[in-house]
Amino acid sequence: MNKIEEDLLEWSNEISQYTFPRWKELPDFDLYMDQVLNLIERYLSIFKVSDQKQIITSSMINNYVKLGLIPPPVKKRYTKKHLAYLIAISILKQVVTIPEVKEGILYQASISGIREAYDLFCTEQEYALRAVASHIKQADKKPLLPDSTDNTTLIVRTATIAVATKIVTEKVLYLAHVQQEENEKNKNKTKKLEE
């Protein structure tokens, strides 16, 4: 097993165990912008395949308010509802456009309500990460699309699978880039020693 495969296997174990905060686990008190940014970065750390990628910024949040994706903050404070929206948006925007994110969130919320839609999203994203990880590990493979999929879960399931496969692709590319840089350094060291 080469270094990339070892690192990918280790990472797949990490994403297999990753859990998202459910509605009842989100803070019940209002937060300021910097607190929201820190919390979301922590909650979604699994989606950072390198230190350079920033998941969310204050300007993104301001744009989401302007676009009507999230309600405006009250006295510059954000609620549990804001956090739920921002977590889902931060994940989904990686694979679908912002108008599609808005449409999907509104659709899912109309079926089951915002709390249930958010918890369903978390459950489905965890399942998608575990399913993709099981294919990386080549053991106890989970189906990417469970048999129980119907019209009420199809959108959220396909979107979360797309997110999971995207971050695996990014991780593999990142690991390959790191390995290539390491190989170049070693080649240059060997060259200098031979001179």
Side-chain angles (χ1 to χ4, degrees):
M1 184 180 294
N2 67 35
K3 176 81 168 108
I4 294 175
E5 289 170 333
E6 286 174 11
D7 289 346
L8 191 59
L9 191 57
E10 182 181 322
W11 184 71
S12 69
N13 289 330
E14 188 181 330
I15 65 172
S16 295
Q17 298 168 17
Y18 198 80
T19 58
F20 295 91
R22 297 309 194 264
W23 180 270
K24 66 181 181 183
E25 298 165 335
L26 294 173
D28 282 324
F29 48 88
D30 296 347
L31 304 166
Y32 289 108
M33 177 74 80
D34 60 331
Q35 294 169 310
V36 169
L37 294 172
N38 289 333
L39 203 54
I40 291 177
E41 286 285 332
R42 194 177 63 188
Y43 286 155
L44 303 183
S45 62
I46 196 74
F47 292 97
K48 289 183 78 163
V49 296
S50 73
D51 292 335
Q52 299 166 347
K53 186 177 179 183
Q54 198 168 7
I55 294 170
I56 193 161
T57 64
S58 57
S59 60
M60 288 177 191
I61 293 174
N62 291 332
N63 285 337
Y64 300 154
V65 171
K66 287 177 190 171
L67 294 170
L69 265 82
I70 64 171
V74 178
K75 297 181 183 176
K76 297 186 179 183
R77 290 184 162 186
Y78 297 84
T79 65
K80 179 184 277 204
K81 185 177 181 180
H82 289 104
L83 278 175
Y85 275 115
L86 289 169
I87 289 168
I89 292 165
S90 297
I91 295 170
L92 292 171
K93 72 176 183 179
Q94 298 180 59
V95 293
V96 294
T97 66
I98 291 297
E100 291 168 333
V101 168
K102 182 177 182 178
E103 189 176 341
I105 287 173
L106 291 173
Y107 173 76
Q108 202 63 50
S110 73
I111 292 174
S112 54
I114 184 66
R115 293 173 189 192
E116 291 78 10
Y118 172 74
D119 285 347
L120 172 67
F121 173 76
C122 291
T123 299
E124 293 300 330
Q125 190 61 74
E126 288 169 359
Y127 176 86
L129 290 170
R130 288 181 178 94
V132 168
S134 73
H135 287 266
I136 293 169
K137 296 177 194 178
Q138 297 291 313
D140 192 26
K141 291 182 183 176
K142 296 180 187 311
L144 293 179
L145 205 58
D147 291 339
S148 62
T149 303
D150 60 23
N151 289 339
T152 63
T153 58
L154 183 63
I155 290 174
V156 71
R157 285 189 175 166
T158 53
T160 56
I161 290 166
V163 170
T165 56
K166 180 183 183 282
I167 68 163
V168 169
T169 302
E170 288 177 343
K171 186 67 172 183
V172 172
L173 290 172
Y174 173 72
L175 292 173
H177 177 72
V178 169
Q179 184 64 52
Q180 186 178 6
E181 283 184 341
E182 193 64 35
N183 291 346
E184 287 296 319
K185 283 180 189 174
N186 290 338
K187 190 188 280 186
N188 290 337
K189 283 181 186 176
T190 304
K191 203 176 198 180
K192 284 181 181 180
L193 290 173
E194 290 173 353
E195 291 175 351

